[in-house]
Amino acid sequence: MTESDITRPDPDRLLEKIRSEETPSQKKGYLKIFLGYCAGVGKTYRMLSEGQTLHRQHQNVVIGIVETHGRKETIALTKGLEEIPRTSQDYRGITLTEFDIDKALELKPQILLLDELAHTNNPGSRHPKRYQDVEELLEQGISVYTTLNIQHIESVQDIVQQITGIGVQETVPDRILERADKIELVDLPPEELLQRLSEGKVYVPEKARTAVEKFFRKGNL
């Protein structure tokens, strides 16, 4: 399978008409989701690549959160892009870091790169879930590029559990995908994904071994 775009089912002409009738104060942000079937297929890399392209076109692109997992190729793609420092807080003796939504709203970039849409925010955050941060950002006219794995879509939970035997706790409501202006599929053959996993290009070695034993079996993929 090659990469392809899935647009909203509404005709482009109707969408443009709706946008043209909005006043500047009513303008909503543009939402693009890089969707993959599993971690490690290249969603973050693809999101950053597009961010760099837009940056070269003189658009204001800012990193809100990018999880590189130590991957050199991914880290290289963050160079030259402004990155919002994460907030930090002590929680039960542990220092937790999180996306700083207030700083993002203050900066109000044209495009914000925000990894892992299904992420659960730390206790005490304004919103329990990252997708709720995204909804607020879009309402304020900030466009968001984000990443998501299929197993985190709320409506496919039962199917995922039947196939893998594993229940996924973090989910994103279907309304977020329906709200998306564009969804780009990021794919990779299972054999290549397992090879990347064995080479430490997806997770650190200890986590990679656990992943292979559980979710990352070829049948599941």
Side-chain angles (χ1 to χ4, degrees):
M1 185 184 298
T2 59
E3 293 183 1
S4 60
D5 287 342
I6 301 176
T7 57
R8 296 179 70 180
D10 308 88
D12 291 339
R13 186 175 300 174
L14 177 60
L15 185 58
E16 288 303 318
K17 183 175 184 296
I18 293 170
R19 286 176 173 169
S20 67
E21 292 174 351
E22 292 176 334
T23 64
S25 62
Q26 293 172 325
K27 290 285 187 182
K28 302 296 191 294
Y30 178 96
L31 176 61
K32 181 167 184 177
I33 299 174
F34 294 86
L35 181 68
Y37 70 88
C38 201
V41 297
K43 301 179 303 299
T44 302
Y45 187 93
R46 183 71 192 89
M47 179 181 71
L48 282 168
S49 296
E50 188 154 332
Q52 287 287 0
T53 297
L54 295 169
H55 176 67
R56 288 192 293 271
Q57 295 171 355
H58 307 292
Q59 295 200 46
N60 182 16
V61 180
V62 172
I63 294 174
I65 288 285
V66 163
E67 302 293 355
T68 65
H69 299 289
R71 296 187 287 256
K72 294 180 181 179
E73 301 91 342
T74 306
I75 293 172
L77 284 173
T78 66
K79 304 302 182 183
L81 297 179
E82 181 179 358
E83 186 167 358
I84 297 174
R86 304 187 188 200
T87 63
S88 62
Q89 67 178 85
D90 290 328
Y91 181 74
R92 297 181 179 178
I94 302 173
T95 299
L96 302 176
T97 63
E98 192 57 86
F99 166 59
D100 191 343
I101 185 173
D102 289 318
K103 188 64 176 179
L105 291 168
E106 178 187 330
L107 290 174
K108 200 163 187 178
Q110 287 177 281
I111 299 167
L112 186 75
L113 307 183
L114 195 58
D115 223 348
E116 299 188 355
L117 183 61
H119 170 79
T120 298
N121 291 332
N122 293 332
S125 299
R126 177 146 81 248
H127 301 298
K129 298 287 188 176
R130 183 163 292 163
Y131 71 77
Q132 294 170 316
D133 292 337
V134 169
E135 289 180 311
E136 181 173 349
L137 293 163
L138 294 171
E139 286 296 315
Q140 294 302 313
I142 299 172
S143 294
V144 177
Y145 285 23
T146 188
T147 63
L148 180 69
N149 290 328
I150 289 173
Q151 66 264 30
H152 294 290
I153 299 173
E154 193 172 69
S155 63
V156 302
Q157 285 305 288
D158 291 344
I159 297 172
V160 171
Q161 188 157 6
Q162 287 173 15
I163 293 172
T164 67
I166 299 171
V168 178
Q169 300 302 313
E170 294 182 315
T171 61
V172 171
D174 287 33
R175 73 169 188 273
I176 305 298
L177 282 84
E178 293 165 1
R179 164 64 180 82
D181 295 275
K182 184 169 286 188
I183 297 174
E184 179 172 321
L185 298 179
V186 184
D187 201 5
L188 189 71
E191 294 81 5
E192 290 186 33
L193 177 57
L194 291 171
Q195 180 63 32
R196 284 173 52 81
L197 195 67
S198 68
E199 293 173 353
K201 294 181 178 180
V202 179
Y203 295 124
V204 295
E206 289 184 6
K207 190 174 181 180
R209 283 193 295 271
T210 302
V212 170
E213 292 170 359
K214 295 183 177 180
F215 191 86
F216 283 74
R217 295 195 297 270
K218 189 173 179 181
N220 289 346
L221 299 177

